[in-house]
């Protein structure tokens, strides 16, 4: 099979770029810890309200962990509990969320806090809230007739 | 027309009928789906409410199912039958009969699914994620569409095998080879969606089992969902590699490399579905990353494709006396819709492909996942690159099959259609990309989200989407008008089915490229490698399953 000289150059250049690119995202993921939310913990979706930490939705201070607070959300068609929450500026927070019924999304709009909530699973993501202001949480996975009405609000305050 | 005037390279009339049957369904689907698309953009602008109890999500289910699943599959099956019939010879009666059985299975399935959507029994969107539960007949309908496409795929495999038997030791005709690759990929890929529908969703919707494992169902869906997009794309590549060179009067840059790139697509389309599940719980991030790497392997055949297309264009331009770095561009037949429309598609694939790289990269995915950015992305890829190429194909294939010609007037209208599409899509897709970066969610009716300031920023973009959507709908009306003209009213005559020749006919494609035991073996190994452990994890750690919900 004959490959034109220019095509060889083009492919070598392309593959080299690709390797650099994959190394960058690999280092970011495995060395810097920028992994997508991939929590493996499970939960009985029919008993969410009675199981820790989902029996206490909202912002809870924690001690002796890598983060200062746990921000707990329970999703069900078509709302989040809490419907609004204040977070102190600069707080390092572990966001934990799950759903009681169908699949929902959990996206703090315009940020990289973006995860799927699936019945039976817990989703979590650790982040630092370093910008003050109001951040809208939207459900970004279709969950039924009221899907576009499903939202919450994080207020990052000093 | 009598048999006397029939030329060798004209598709047999009986095969032509088979092709047209597929195209009728595809274009009816295009019209219905386009109408739904227009209404969606209008609703999302906030200026319009749907009449008569039609639900937004019912409409969106219709749009997704009819365009992404039905219109594409019918067009592709029809086109592949015609490509095989043209290059490997008229189908045998047995092959044709098999193809017809497939057509009717798909059609019955489509009608069943559509009726369930219209009755508001299946507003689950075209991805039908459990535990939202549609009517059992919706799942039965989808199963029939898949089984029908397998039956049609069987006819293509039979035709390929028949040709190889008659021509031992020879590489198969390029278009037939490509149609076969796409068929094999489709069969391997649809096993995933067929498994979840048949073994999980159908028994569950019938009440035979109470609960369904949501994560496994989604993973099986996406095992199919990513190769689905290559199933759309490869027929467009067939046209770009083989047909467009002939239309411009040039040659195929390299027959062997075209085949090699199709084989690479076959290998790397399937073991990558987890890149749609990057932000899902229950799947180890190391396995996600592995599939991200496999995903990016398709960059290699994509670069090969881009090179060979532009090499064909440049070589042709220079053979016509073009000079300078870009002089060859002037020599291309810009006034020929059969070239221009697919060419616009190729251009749109440049930002489309770049967006795809963003979507698939581990971390950036988190910024755009399930925002309207994603919708903007696939309206550039499938709803522009692919669909414009399909339109470009139709403008010679339909008259070829009906024994008519594409007149100058229709050619002009087709060019106008392509330009309108490009303008409309620039508005719609551009605004979707921009709003997505601001966080606007996809699959959402108009909402002010309780007066949130962020949501207010999205509204101007939604109005831009409605402007784009309206222009696109005008383009769809033009397509339908041209289709009807070419099917029923255009003057009788002979429109060519263009099939390009390789620049270097002396070079025979290596026979190893037709060694399906080898390639399918590697496909199976790659899939086993990428999916075995994630599936074992999902099964071993499975939470209690979910009951069905009907929340619409
Ligand atoms: C008139 C032309 C079109 C318009 C105005 C249009 C408009 C839209 C809009 C506004 C959405 C997003 C709705 C939402 O997320 O809430 C959408 C989704 C979609 N469109 Fe189109 N579209 C058009 C053509 C096409 C074509 C030709 C295809 C496929 C070949 C296509 C495939 C899809 C798919 C698969 C979705 C996703 C549905 C979902 O998220 O469930 N569209 N379209
Ligand atoms: Cu939702
Ligand atoms: Cu994909």
């Amino acid at each position: 099979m004959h490959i034109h000289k220019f095509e060889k150059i083009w492919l070598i250049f392309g593959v080299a770029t690709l390797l650099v690119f994959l190394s960058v995202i690999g280092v970011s993921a495995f060395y810097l810890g920028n992994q997508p939310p991939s929590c493996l913990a499970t939960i009985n979706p029919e008993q969410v309200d009675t199981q820790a930490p989902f029996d206490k939705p909202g912002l809870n201070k924690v001690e002796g962990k890598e983060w200062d607070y746990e921000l707990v959300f329970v999703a069900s068609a078509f709302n989040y509990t809490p419907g609004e929450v204040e977070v102190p500026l600069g707080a390092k927070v572990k966001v934990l969320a799950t759903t009681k019924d169908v699949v929902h999304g959990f996206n703090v709009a315009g940020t990289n806090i973006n995860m799927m909530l699936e019945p039976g699973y817990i989703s979590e993501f650790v982040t630092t809230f370093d910008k003050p202001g109001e951040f809208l949480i939207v459900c970004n996975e279709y969950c039924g007739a009221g899907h576009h009405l499903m939202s919450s609000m994080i207020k990052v305050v000093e | 027309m009598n048999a006397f005037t029939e030329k060798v390279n004209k598709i047999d009339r009986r095969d032509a009928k088979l092709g047209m049957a597929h195209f009728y369904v595809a274009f009816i689907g295009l019209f219905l789906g386009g109408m739904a698309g227009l209404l969606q953009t209008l609703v999302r602008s906030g200026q319009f409410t749907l009449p008569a109890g039609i639900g937004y999500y019912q409409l969106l289910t219709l749009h997704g199912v009819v365009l992404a699943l039905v219109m594409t599959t019918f067009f592709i099956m029809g086109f592949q039958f015609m490509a095989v019939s043209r290059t490997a010879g008229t189908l045998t009666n047995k092959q044709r009969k098999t193809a017809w059985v497939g057509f009717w299975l798909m059609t019955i399935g489509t009608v069943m699914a559509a009726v369930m959507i219209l009755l508001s029994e299946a507003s689950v969107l075209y991805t039908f994620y459990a535990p939202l539960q549609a009517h059992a007949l919706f799942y039965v309908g989808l199963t029939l569409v898949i089984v029908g496409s397998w039956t049609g795929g069987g006819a293509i495999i039979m035709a390929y095998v028949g040709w190889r038997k008659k021509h031992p030791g020879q590489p198969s005709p390029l278009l037939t080879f490509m149609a076969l690759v796409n068929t094999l990929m489709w069969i391997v890929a649809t096993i995933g969606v067929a498994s979840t529908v048949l073994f999980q969703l159908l028994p569950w919707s019938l009440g035979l089992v109470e609960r369904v494992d949501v994560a496994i169902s989604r993973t099986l869906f996406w095992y199919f969902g990513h190769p689905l997009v290559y199933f759309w794309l490869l027929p467009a590549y067939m046209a770009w590699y083989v047909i467009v060179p002939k239309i411009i009067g040039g040659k195929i840059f390299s027959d062997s490399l075209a085949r090699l790139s199709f084989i690479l697509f076959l290998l790397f389309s399937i073991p990558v579905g987890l890149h749609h599940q990057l932000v899902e719980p229950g799947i180890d991030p190391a396995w996600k990353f592995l599939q991200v790497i496999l995903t990016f392997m398709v960059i290699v055949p994509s670069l090969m494709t881009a090179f060979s297309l532009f090499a064909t264009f440049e070589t042709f331009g220079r053979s016509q006396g073009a000079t300078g770095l870009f002089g060859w561009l002037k020599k291309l037949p810009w006034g020929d819709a059969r070239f221009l429309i697919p060419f616009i598609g190729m251009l749109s694939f440049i930002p489309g492909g770049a967006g795809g790289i963003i979507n698939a990269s581990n971390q950036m995915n988190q910024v755009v996942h399930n925002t309207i950015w994603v919708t903007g992305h696939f309206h550039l890829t499938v709803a522009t690159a692919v669909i414009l190429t399909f339109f470009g194909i139709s403008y010679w294939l339909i008259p070829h099959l009906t024994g008519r010609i594409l007149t100058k007037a229709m050619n002009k209208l087709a060019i106008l259609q392509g330009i309108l599409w490009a303008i409309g899509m620039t508005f719609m897709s551009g605004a979707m990309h921009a709003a997505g970066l601001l966080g606007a969610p996809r699959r959402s009716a108009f909402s002010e989200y309780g007066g949130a300031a962020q949501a207010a920023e999205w509204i101007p973009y939604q109005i831009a989407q409605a402007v784009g959507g309206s222009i696109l709908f005008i383009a769809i009306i033009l397509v339908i008008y041209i289709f009807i003209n070419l099917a029923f009213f255009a003057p009788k005559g002979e429109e060519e089915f263009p099939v390009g020749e390789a620049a270097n006919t002396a070079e025979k494609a290596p026979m190893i490229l037709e060694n399906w035991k080898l390639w399918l073996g590697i496909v199976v190994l790659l899939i086993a490698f990428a999916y075995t452990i994630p599936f074992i994890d999902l099964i071993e750690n499975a939470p209690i399953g979910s009951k069905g919900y009907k929340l619409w």
Side-chain angles (χ1 to χ4, degrees):
Chain A
M1 203 175 333
H2 166 79
I3 303 186
H4 192 281
K5 193 174 110 214
F6 286 168
E7 180 159 15
K8 275 190 195 141
I9 296 174
W10 165 254
L11 287 179
I12 289 170
F13 174 75
V15 170
T17 318
L18 180 59
L19 289 178
V20 172
F21 177 83
L22 286 174
S23 311
V24 169
I25 60 174
V27 166
S28 169
F30 292 93
Y31 184 68
L32 301 176
N34 293 320
Q35 294 280 17
S38 305
C39 178
L40 301 176
T42 58
I43 186 172
N44 183 332
E46 285 156 18
Q47 290 162 16
V48 167
D49 289 336
T50 58
Q51 291 177 50
F54 298 101
D55 52 349
K56 277 203 301 191
L59 189 72
N60 305 317
K61 183 111 182 96
V62 294
E63 301 293 338
K65 298 197 177 165
E66 271 175 54
W67 44 89
D68 314 319
Y69 294 92
E70 290 183 348
L71 180 52
V72 179
F73 279 95
V74 176
S76 62
F78 301 104
N79 53 63
Y80 296 101
T81 315
E84 189 184 307
V85 66
E86 286 193 1
V87 177
L89 182 66
K92 188 165 184 195
V93 175
K94 180 180 207 172
V95 185
L96 290 129
T98 193
T99 163
K100 296 206 275 188
D101 43 43
V102 295
V103 178
H104 295 282
F106 185 96
N107 183 200
V108 181
T111 75
N112 67 346
I113 308 170
N114 190 357
M115 51 198 188
M116 303 294 296
L117 312 182
E118 291 175 19
Y121 290 90
I122 296 170
S123 296
E124 55 179 45
F125 189 67
V126 179
T127 187
T128 304
F129 288 91
D130 46 16
K131 264 195 216 141
E134 298 194 343
F135 294 89
L136 177 66
I137 301 173
V138 291
C139 178
N140 63 4
E141 182 55 89
Y142 171 65
C143 52
H147 160 61
H148 53 289
L149 304 172
M150 183 163 166
S151 68
S152 178
M153 183 72 88
I154 295 181
K155 296 188 168 164
V156 182
V157 293
E158 307 222 10
Chain B
M1 184 194 312
N2 58 38
F4 207 69
T5 56
E6 246 171 52
K7 284 199 213 137
V8 231
N9 55 10
K10 184 149 174 70
I11 286 183
D12 181 272
R13 258 219 242 85
R14 291 160 302 171
D15 287 355
K17 228 170 132 188
L18 173 71
M20 285 307 292
H22 285 82
F23 298 138
Y24 289 134
V25 179
F27 281 84
I28 293 170
L30 176 73
F31 181 72
L32 293 176
M35 185 101 99
L38 170 68
L39 293 175
Q40 284 152 219
T41 58
L42 295 180
V43 170
R44 289 169 48 86
S45 75
Q47 309 291 316
F48 174 81
T49 32
L50 289 167
I54 304 174
Y56 178 80
Y57 300 103
Q58 183 182 15
L59 206 60
L60 186 57
T61 306
L62 188 78
H63 182 76
V65 169
V66 159
L67 288 175
L69 303 180
V70 171
M71 183 272 294
T72 46
T73 307
F74 274 85
F75 187 91
I76 291 167
M77 297 304 294
F79 172 56
Q80 292 186 160
F81 287 135
M82 296 307 100
V84 169
S85 171
R86 165 75 167 79
T87 57
T90 303
L91 301 179
T92 63
N93 286 339
K94 189 165 152 223
Q95 290 159 10
R96 193 177 311 106
K97 208 180 258 163
T98 311
W100 275 112
V101 172
F103 169 81
W104 283 112
L105 286 174
M106 296 204 312
T107 306
I108 295 168
T110 299
V111 170
M112 280 167 84
V115 168
M116 286 302 120
I117 296 169
L118 295 178
L119 292 177
S120 197
E121 291 290 341
S123 298
V124 290
L125 305 190
Y126 83 109
T127 45
F128 47 86
Y129 293 142
L132 287 173
Q133 189 183 57
H135 195 286
L137 286 181
F138 176 75
Y139 301 117
V140 174
L142 293 181
T143 307
L144 287 180
V145 173
I146 294 167
V147 171
S149 73
W150 287 347
T151 315
I156 287 179
I157 295 174
M158 279 152 61
Y160 170 85
V161 171
W163 192 95
R164 286 290 304 281
K165 277 220 180 92
K166 270 198 245 151
H167 305 79
Q170 285 182 46
S172 55
L174 186 51
L175 275 181
T176 298
F177 175 93
M178 292 170 150
L180 180 78
V181 169
N182 204 27
T183 302
L184 294 176
M185 186 191 68
W186 178 248
I187 292 172
V188 177
T190 41
I191 291 171
V193 66
S195 312
T196 181
V197 171
L198 275 181
F199 300 125
Q200 292 190 288
L201 305 179
L202 192 55
W204 172 67
S205 66
L206 287 169
L208 300 177
V209 295
E210 193 190 17
R211 292 170 187 272
V212 73
D213 187 316
V214 171
I216 288 182
S217 173
R218 295 171 69 82
T219 307
L220 286 171
F221 181 88
W222 283 114
Y223 163 95
F224 150 82
H226 188 78
L228 171 66
V229 311
Y230 282 98
F231 176 67
W232 300 332
L233 193 58
L234 290 189
Y237 278 18
M238 288 164 72
W240 296 359
Y241 266 115
V242 185
I243 288 162
V244 168
K246 175 77 176 180
I247 289 173
I248 66 173
K251 298 275 185 200
I252 300 171
F253 183 67
S254 161
D255 175 287
S256 313
L257 288 174
R259 289 174 202 255
L260 178 63
S261 85
F262 267 59
I263 293 287
L264 291 174
F265 280 119
L266 172 66
L267 301 186
F268 292 111
S269 295
I270 304 171
V272 300
L274 287 189
H275 69 225
H276 291 262
Q277 298 175 279
L278 286 173
V279 301
E280 286 186 23
I283 303 170
D284 192 286
W287 288 103
K288 292 178 178 172
F289 189 72
L290 180 101
Q291 292 208 9
V292 164
I293 293 179
L294 290 174
T295 303
F296 280 108
M297 292 301 136
V298 296
I299 294 207
V300 176
S302 307
L303 290 176
M304 288 166 64
T305 305
F307 186 91
S308 108
L309 300 178
F310 283 89
T312 295
F313 296 156
E314 180 170 351
T315 314
F316 168 75
R318 295 205 187 279
S319 77
Q320 302 297 302
T323 52
L325 202 49
F326 292 110
W328 48 274
L329 275 173
K330 288 202 204 93
K331 301 285 179 189
L332 295 173
W334 299 110
D336 186 340
R338 299 173 310 159
F339 165 73
L340 179 69
I341 310 296
F343 187 83
I344 298 174
M346 291 176 198
L347 287 187
S348 76
F349 207 66
I350 297 171
I357 294 176
I358 293 174
N359 299 342
S361 52
N362 224 27
Q363 293 87 354
M364 278 188 280
N365 174 269
Q366 236 165 295
V367 178
V368 295
H369 175 78
N370 268 357
T371 67
I372 195 86
W373 157 288
V374 175
T375 317
H377 162 71
F378 60 69
H379 280 84
L380 282 183
T381 49
V382 64
T384 304
V386 169
I387 205 85
L388 283 186
T389 304
F390 289 0
F391 295 162
I393 291 170
S394 306
Y395 295 150
W396 52 261
L397 182 55
I398 304 298
H400 179 88
L401 297 179
T402 55
R404 300 174 188 275
I405 52 167
L406 177 71
T407 59
K408 283 227 166 68
M410 283 301 137
N411 182 63
K412 263 207 189 117
L413 217 52
I415 287 175
L416 176 66
Q417 173 269 310
I419 292 170
L420 283 178
W421 199 280
I423 297 172
M425 200 50 91
T426 304
F427 273 98
M428 188 173 94
S429 171
M432 284 174 164
H433 277 92
L437 287 180
L438 297 175
R442 68 180 283 201
R443 309 185 132 176
S444 296
F446 180 77
S447 173
E448 290 174 317
Y449 290 101
Q454 275 175 299
E457 285 175 26
W458 304 335
I459 293 175
Y461 294 101
Q462 282 156 203
I463 291 174
Q465 288 162 33
V467 172
S470 309
I471 299 172
L472 282 168
F473 189 67
I474 297 173
I476 286 192
I477 305 265
L478 287 181
V479 177
I480 300 292
Y481 179 77
I482 301 168
F483 175 80
I484 293 176
N485 176 274
L486 296 176
F488 304 109
F489 301 109
K492 296 268 176 189
E494 290 218 357
E495 186 74 43
E496 182 199 5
F497 186 140
V499 178
E501 277 174 18
N504 181 357
T505 41
E507 193 198 21
K508 201 179 113 186
M511 286 311 287
I512 188 171
L513 292 171
E514 317 235 4
N515 185 340
W516 303 108
K517 282 201 192 101
L518 173 69
W519 302 122
L520 288 177
I522 300 179
V523 166
V524 171
L525 282 180
L526 281 171
I527 293 170
F529 173 52
Y531 269 113
T532 307
I533 296 185
F535 264 115
I536 291 179
D537 282 350
L538 284 172
I539 292 168
E540 280 189 341
N541 303 331
I544 181 174
S546 287
K547 295 181 183 167
Y549 290 87
K550 187 174 182 238
L551 295 174
W552 64 88

